[in-house]
């Protein structure tokens, strides 16, 4: 179940367009729209990796 | 030859890749007369090779040219490539390890083969297979357009270089099968990462930093326009474009072949976490479109002729020629050209696997459906030559429009392939009718848009909901298949024809 919640977080972070369609706050000259969408990539990667570890632990118990 | 140093480096890189392509036949030795070895690399690629192979396969030369070109022309909308290549990975993780398991257990090498085994319905598998092949053809053609653009940028004359590149591609595809693009993709990705890294360090420094670059972009294009009241506007357009594209991505024959050639479900799951590294690179590369705007390449007289010929696709090559020393332009163009050859090879191989196992075998031979590598090799040559004829004979806008349609068509195989991995609720004939409804409605809506747009404003109770046509029509597809399944089962129940077992999937 937690697996699906983590994946849901990835979808929400990536598809919540009204939340990130804005200029400020800027970072290193990047408007928010651009740096946010780049910044969520490693976050998504980490969440997927956590799911993988949970799966591995799950199959080791069996 | 207008750029001798760049051309020399370019040709050296291509020569290196050719050598690698032919050497690849001896790598992880297997009997290449067997289609599982030729067309699937013997299902032996581990985490790292799969990372390079699937990355080289999904993030193609066309992407490297088209996404920055879209940013260059349309602005923020082009950045949908980021959420697209983020949400595709949970889908990869959830769906495709199950496909790998059942494919291994039953000896399938293509998606349509799984569908045939699951429903005992070779016509449904034919529909799924043909959809994949037809969607792949313009995709290969676009890789060649990318190749043509960089050859043109180097000032090499005529069609001869393109034809030469294609003959080489055909030759190593024939001799080494999937091993060739797998080995070459490693070189390709190293070159691409090097180029992108150089681009985001060197070019912003020349242009006065990222702040200055974004300041030069038309403010109206920097963000998506805020929707009017009672409309989802481009907000829903953007999100559905990302989600629909993500659902379609791994249904393409070439990406599915990349996944099935891995050595197991754990490799696929690890890659769902590792492949997003390419997405970061793609995001940075998309911004190269803005760098081209800021550098003002469009108004430079030396590029006027090429912009007239290639349109916004020339934005990246123009910036490369303008901002880098000549020798590095050769490296960058080499990277793009190899980035065209790798996916083109995998696409030809994947289409050939489908032709052999799902069309030739079941419909044109007596009994045997396994087919030989020879049939597949011959069909791969047909795909490569067909793409070449397409590029030389037709204007490139046709390839772009067909590629747009291809995405809307290939997503229509989602119910038959992806949903069938989890449930046997559907009836094979009902899935075929759902597929037909999806293909027909998607094609009709795209035609209404003049094959130039992929977002349609649906009106639901006084509210306008612009949506990617592919996503809306695959919903119709699922609804039709779901509603008709009980009816079709009452007439011709096909539950007993399922050759797969529950334990095949885990």
């Amino acid at each position: 179940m937690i697996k699906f919640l983590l994946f849901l977080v990835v979808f929400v972070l990536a598809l919540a367009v009204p939340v990130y369609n804005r200029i400020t706050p800027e970072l290193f000259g990047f408007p928010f729209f651009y740096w946010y969408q780049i910044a969520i990539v490693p976050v998504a990667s980490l969440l997927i990796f956590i799911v993988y570890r949970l799966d591995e632990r799950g199959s080791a118990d069996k | 030859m207008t750029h001798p140093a760049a051309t020399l480096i370019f040709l050296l890189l291509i020569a290196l890749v050719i050598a690698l392509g032919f050497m690849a036949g001896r790598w992880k030795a297997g009997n290449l007369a067997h289609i599982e070895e030729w067309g699937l690399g013997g299902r032996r690629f581990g985490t790292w090779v799969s990372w390079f192979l699937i990355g080289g396969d999904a993030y193609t030369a066309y992407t490297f040219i088209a996404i920055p070109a879209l940013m260059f022309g349309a602005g923020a909308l082009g950045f949908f490539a980021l959420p697209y290549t983020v949400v595709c990975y949970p889908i990869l993780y959830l769906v495709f390890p199950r496909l790998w398991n059942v494919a291994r257990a039953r000896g399938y090498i293509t998606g349509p083969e799984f569908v045939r085994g699951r429903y005992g319905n070779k016509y449904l598998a034919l529909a799924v297979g043909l959809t994949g092949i037809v969607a792949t053809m313009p995709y290969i053609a676009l890789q060649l357009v990318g190749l043509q653009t960089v050859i043109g940028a180097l000032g090499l004359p005529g069609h001869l270089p393109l034809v030469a590149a294609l003959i080489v591609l055909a030759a190593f595809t024939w001799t080494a099968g999937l091993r060739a693009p797998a080995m070459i993709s490693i070189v390709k990705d190293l070159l691409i990462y090097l180029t992108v890294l150089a681009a985001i360090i060197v070019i912003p420094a020349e242009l006065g930093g990222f702040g200055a670059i974004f300041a030069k972009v038309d403010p109206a294009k920097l963000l998506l326009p805020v929707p009017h009241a009672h409309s989802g506007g481009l907000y829903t357009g953007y999100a559905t474009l990302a989600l629909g594209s993500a659902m379609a991505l791994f249904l393409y024959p070439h990406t599915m072949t990349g996944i099935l050639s891995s050595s197991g479900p754990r490799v696929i799951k690890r890659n769902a976490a590792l492949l997003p590294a390419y997405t970061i690179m793609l995001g940075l590369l998309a911004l190269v479109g803005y760098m081209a705007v800021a550098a003002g390449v469009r108004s430079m007289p030396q590029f006027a002729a090429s912009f007239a010929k290639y349109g916004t696709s020339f934005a990246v090559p123009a910036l490369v020629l303008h901002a880098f020393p000549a020798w590095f332009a050769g490296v960058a163009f080499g990277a793009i050209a190899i980035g065209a050859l790798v996916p083109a090879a995998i696409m030809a191989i994947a289409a050939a696997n489908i032709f052999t196992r799902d069309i030739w075998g079941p419909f044109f031979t007596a009994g045997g459906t396994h087919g030989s590598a020879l049939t597949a090799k011959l069909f791969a040559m047909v795909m490569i030559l067909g793409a070449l004829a397409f590029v030389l004979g037709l204007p490139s806008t046709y390839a772009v429009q067909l590629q747009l349609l291809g995405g809307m068509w290939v997503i229509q195989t989602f119910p038959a392939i992806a949903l069938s991995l989890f449930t046997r609720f559907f009836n094979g004939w009902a899935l075929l009718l759902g597929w037909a409804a999806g293909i027909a409605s998607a094609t009709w809506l795209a035609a209404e848009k003049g094959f130039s747009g992929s977002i349609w404003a649906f009106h639901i109770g006084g509210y306008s909901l612009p949506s990617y046509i592919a996503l809306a029509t695959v919903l119709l597809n699922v609804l039709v298949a779901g509603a008709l399944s009980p009816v079709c089962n009452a007439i011709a129940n096909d539950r007993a024809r399922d050759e797969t077992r529950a334990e095949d999937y885990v």
Side-chain angles (χ1 to χ4, degrees):
Chain A
M1 206 55 235
I2 186 150
K3 177 168 149 181
F4 292 102
L5 273 176
L6 290 174
F7 282 154
L8 189 66
V9 172
V10 174
F11 279 92
V12 171
L13 285 176
L15 300 178
V17 187
V19 176
Y20 59 71
N21 190 43
R22 48 189 297 165
I23 297 284
T24 54
E26 292 187 1
L27 185 72
F28 308 124
F30 283 60
F32 186 76
F33 182 81
Y34 298 91
W35 71 256
Y36 169 84
Q37 289 184 82
I38 295 174
I40 61 166
V41 179
V43 176
S45 174
L46 181 70
L47 292 175
I48 296 169
F49 182 69
I50 293 171
V51 171
Y52 171 73
R53 293 304 294 265
L54 291 172
D55 267 2
E56 288 287 288
R57 195 181 299 166
S59 55
D61 288 346
K62 266 186 257 172
Chain B
M1 205 186 290
T2 40
H3 305 280
T7 306
L8 184 69
I9 301 275
F10 175 83
L11 292 176
L12 280 175
L13 285 171
I14 302 289
L16 167 73
V17 158
I18 294 168
L20 273 179
F22 285 109
M23 274 160 52
R26 269 173 269 162
W27 179 40
K28 290 180 189 269
N31 178 6
L32 285 166
H34 197 295
I35 192 166
E36 274 201 40
E37 290 293 340
W38 179 83
L40 216 50
R43 295 183 222 260
R44 261 181 301 191
F45 296 133
T47 302
W48 290 109
V49 176
S50 290
W51 185 75
F52 281 114
L53 181 68
I54 301 172
D57 194 11
Y59 300 77
T60 67
Y62 172 62
T63 322
F64 298 149
I65 302 256
I67 295 295
L70 195 58
M71 302 283 291
F72 183 77
L77 182 63
F79 223 56
F80 90 93
L82 260 83
Y84 157 26
T85 49
V86 167
V87 298
C88 66
Y89 292 113
I91 297 175
L92 174 65
Y93 190 104
L94 287 171
V95 175
F96 290 89
R98 287 178 75 84
L99 182 66
W100 192 95
N101 284 329
V102 70
R104 172 64 182 265
R106 298 280 154 190
Y108 306 144
I109 62 168
T110 71
E113 263 189 297
F114 157 65
V115 172
R116 191 169 65 243
R118 184 68 151 154
Y119 296 96
N121 187 329
K122 66 179 181 177
Y123 299 98
L124 176 63
L126 177 69
V128 171
L130 279 179
T131 308
I133 292 178
V134 172
T136 302
M137 278 176 178
Y139 220 147
I140 301 186
L142 281 177
Q143 303 308 320
L144 306 191
V145 172
L147 196 57
Q148 213 178 14
T149 311
V150 296
I151 290 172
L154 284 169
L156 295 174
H159 293 309
L160 199 65
L162 185 69
V163 174
L166 265 283
I167 289 172
V168 167
L169 170 71
F172 66 60
T173 302
W174 179 282
T175 54
L178 194 65
R179 284 172 174 80
M183 193 174 245
I184 297 170
S185 67
I186 298 172
V187 179
K188 172 228 157 189
D189 289 326
L190 295 177
L191 287 174
I192 291 280
Y193 277 110
L194 180 70
T195 305
V196 173
L197 212 59
I200 59 159
I201 293 168
V202 174
I203 302 174
E206 287 178 9
L207 295 171
F210 276 102
I213 291 168
F214 283 109
K216 288 250 180 71
V217 177
D218 179 358
K221 287 183 176 174
L222 206 51
L223 290 181
L224 299 170
V226 176
H228 305 295
H230 307 296
S231 171
L234 264 190
Y235 285 11
T236 50
Y238 189 86
T240 53
L241 203 53
L243 182 59
S245 305
M247 285 167 67
L249 179 61
F250 294 112
L251 296 173
Y252 275 100
H254 62 283
T255 43
M256 202 175 281
T257 295
I259 294 167
L260 291 179
S261 71
S262 69
S263 63
R266 290 179 73 202
V267 169
I268 300 169
K269 290 179 176 180
R270 279 191 206 136
N271 266 297
L274 292 170
L275 281 166
Y278 283 92
T279 302
I280 295 189
M281 179 199 55
L282 181 62
L284 297 172
L285 201 67
L287 294 177
V288 172
Y290 283 171
M291 295 176 198
V293 172
V297 288
R298 184 148 228 173
S299 55
M300 292 176 185
Q302 69 270 36
F303 299 134
S306 296
F307 268 110
K309 191 168 172 197
Y310 300 109
T312 52
S313 295
F314 197 69
V316 171
L319 185 68
V320 165
L321 284 173
H322 169 70
F324 287 128
W327 68 270
F328 197 79
V331 174
F333 288 158
I336 295 175
I338 301 165
L341 293 175
V342 168
I346 306 172
M347 285 167 192
I349 291 167
N353 289 344
I354 290 180
F355 177 79
T356 308
R357 283 286 177 96
D358 305 306
I359 299 174
W360 186 254
F363 290 93
F364 296 99
T365 64
T369 56
H370 269 61
S372 71
L374 186 65
T375 315
K377 285 176 177 183
L378 287 170
F379 191 74
M381 298 304 114
V382 171
M383 287 295 286
I384 292 171
L385 291 176
L388 182 65
F390 198 116
V391 171
L392 295 183
L394 296 170
S396 65
T397 47
Y398 286 16
V400 174
Q401 290 172 347
L402 273 174
Q403 145 73 3
L404 194 86
L405 271 175
M408 297 177 196
W409 287 339
V410 85
I411 199 175
Q412 307 303 339
T413 65
F414 192 87
I417 297 176
L419 297 185
S420 301
L421 289 164
F422 296 91
T423 173
R424 190 55 176 74
F425 164 81
F426 295 104
N427 174 288
W429 296 107
L431 280 170
L432 190 58
L433 291 167
W435 168 87
I439 295 275
S441 57
T443 309
W444 175 62
L445 290 176
E448 289 283 304
K449 293 288 270 182
F451 300 112
S452 59
S454 49
I455 294 172
W456 184 270
F458 294 90
H459 294 277
I460 302 161
Y463 197 85
S464 164
L465 210 64
S467 166
Y468 181 31
I469 292 169
L471 192 68
T473 53
V474 77
L475 266 177
L476 174 74
N477 176 339
V478 173
L479 287 175
V480 169
L484 292 182
S485 282
V487 181
C488 290
N489 272 339
I491 302 166
N493 196 317
D494 61 8
R495 289 268 158 81
R497 308 186 65 153
D498 187 353
E499 70 173 27
T500 67
R501 299 280 165 268
E503 61 270 21
D504 293 344
Y505 293 85
V506 286

